[in-house]
Amino acid sequence: MTDKKGGATMDEEQPEETTKAESDYWRENVRLLVTLMSIWFACSFGAGILLRDWLDQFSIGGYPLGFWFAQQGSIYIFIALIFYYVFKMRKIERKYDLDD
């Protein structure tokens, strides 16, 4: 289909349907993100705020565990999750032939 000036229309330039591989890739990517963000939320909000009183009966380096999660633990876990995300995304990109 062409417009009045003889050029291609928007329908021809961008197909509306995505391929199965693209949808599988994004489904896997979103699933990974939701899982990792849930873990981080559980560690930062759950361990640092909701379970702080219970965790304070244990200690790391002389500091109560609930305090440690609130101040440092959730940051360390977030950094570890970033490295895991990079590792896992490289595998996913190779699986769908999207790696550089």
Side-chain angles (χ1 to χ4, degrees):
M1 208 184 211
T2 59
D3 62 5
K4 291 181 182 179
K5 296 180 183 177
T9 62
M10 292 297 286
D11 292 336
E12 290 177 342
E13 293 174 7
Q14 297 178 351
E16 291 181 19
E17 293 183 24
T18 59
T19 64
K20 180 170 175 18
E22 288 172 338
S23 11
D24 290 346
Y25 167 78
W26 282 108
R27 187 176 302 112
E28 227 173 308
N29 186 1
V30 169
R31 185 181 308 131
L32 177 64
L33 281 172
V34 168
T35 302
L36 295 178
M37 294 304 284
S38 298
I39 291 169
W40 185 50
F41 177 78
C43 291
S44 62
F45 188 74
I49 297 171
L50 296 177
L51 300 174
R52 182 172 181 221
D53 293 332
W54 182 78
L55 289 172
D56 280 346
Q57 64 185 337
F58 309 103
S59 64
I60 290 182
Y63 295 100
L65 187 59
F67 173 79
W68 185 84
F69 264 106
Q71 299 303 314
Q72 297 173 348
S74 61
I75 296 169
Y76 292 145
I77 289 171
F78 184 64
I79 291 170
L81 291 175
I82 290 171
F83 282 105
Y84 181 77
Y85 175 77
V86 170
F87 169 76
K88 190 68 173 171
M89 279 307 296
R90 285 184 181 163
K91 287 178 71 173
I92 292 171
E93 287 174 352
R94 275 188 235 122
K95 179 179 176 182
Y96 293 101
D97 197 28
L98 297 172
D99 57 336
D100 293 332

